[in-house]
């Protein structure tokens, strides 16, 4: 189903601030169907593995610490053109640069605490979804 599914996480900052419902409402109102979802918490090893692409970057330790500080909501979403449409819905990484009405404009505090993750390609959506969900968990 490449092209029809994407992966997202509602990050610890948004969970801590009570934004799960608002974010999910915006996602479903934008035509996405939730095919898998769970509240979970990443271990240090989980976060290091998930974000391994950033291992050599100076912010890696901070990112791992942030992503393990509290629960996340992991979800797989379905819609035609899912990756691109979801990236548009969440907005720019920096909430100050995000378009009005986007999830990050509404709920993010900063570049580091930017409320949600969205896969950047069909390939990464499949990899990231498989990292968090077994096939039997998707509908």
């Amino acid at each position: 189903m490449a092209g029809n599914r994407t992966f997202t996480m509602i990050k610890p900052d948004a969970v801590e601030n009570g934004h799960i419902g608002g974010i999910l409402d915006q996602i479903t109102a934008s035509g996405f169907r939730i095919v898998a979802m769970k509240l979970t918490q990443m271990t240090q090893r989980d976060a290091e593995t998930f974000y391994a692409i950033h291992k050599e970057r100076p912010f890696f330790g901070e990112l791992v610490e942030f992503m393990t500080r509290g629960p996340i909501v992991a979800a797989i979403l379905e819609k035609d053109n899912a990756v691109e449409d979801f990236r548009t819905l969440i907005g720019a990484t920096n909430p100050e640069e995000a378009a009005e009405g986007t999830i990050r404009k509404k709920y993010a505090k900063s570049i580091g605490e930017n409320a949600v993750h969205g896969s950047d390609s069909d390939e990464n959506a499949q990899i990231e979804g498989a990292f968090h969900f077994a096939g039997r968990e998707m509908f």
Side-chain angles (χ1 to χ4, degrees):
M1 284 208 150
N4 294 331
R5 288 190 174 179
T6 193
F7 173 78
T8 188
M9 281 188 289
I10 300 175
K11 295 181 178 181
D13 59 314
V15 173
E16 291 164 4
N17 291 311
H19 298 308
I20 296 170
I23 291 170
L24 292 176
D25 282 348
Q26 191 164 350
I27 289 169
T28 57
S30 296
F32 289 91
R33 184 173 81 89
I34 299 168
V35 297
M37 183 171 65
K38 63 181 159 185
L39 180 70
T40 188
Q41 186 157 356
M42 295 177 83
T43 65
Q44 181 167 339
R45 183 178 171 152
D46 290 339
E48 288 171 349
T49 301
F50 189 83
Y51 288 106
I53 192 169
H54 299 302
K55 189 172 185 163
E56 302 305 319
R57 299 216 173 147
F59 61 82
F60 181 72
E62 219 173 281
L63 176 60
V64 169
E65 185 177 328
F66 166 61
M67 291 304 298
T68 59
R69 82 175 189 205
I72 61 156
V73 174
I76 296 175
L77 309 174
E78 188 173 73
K79 179 183 180 185
D80 287 342
N81 200 37
V83 170
E84 188 176 325
D85 284 3
F86 192 68
R87 300 285 294 176
T88 299
L89 178 63
I90 64 176
T93 303
N94 182 345
E96 292 180 17
E97 297 171 3
E100 287 300 323
T102 61
I103 291 171
R104 287 180 172 152
K105 188 68 166 185
K106 288 181 177 180
Y107 300 109
K109 294 180 183 178
S110 66
I111 292 173
E113 294 195 10
N114 60 14
V116 292
H117 165 86
S119 298
D120 62 2
S121 68
D122 290 337
E123 179 184 19
N124 282 339
Q126 290 178 335
I127 292 167
E128 293 170 353
F131 183 87
H132 285 277
F133 296 95
R136 63 182 165 71
E137 294 180 295
M138 292 179 262
F139 300 95

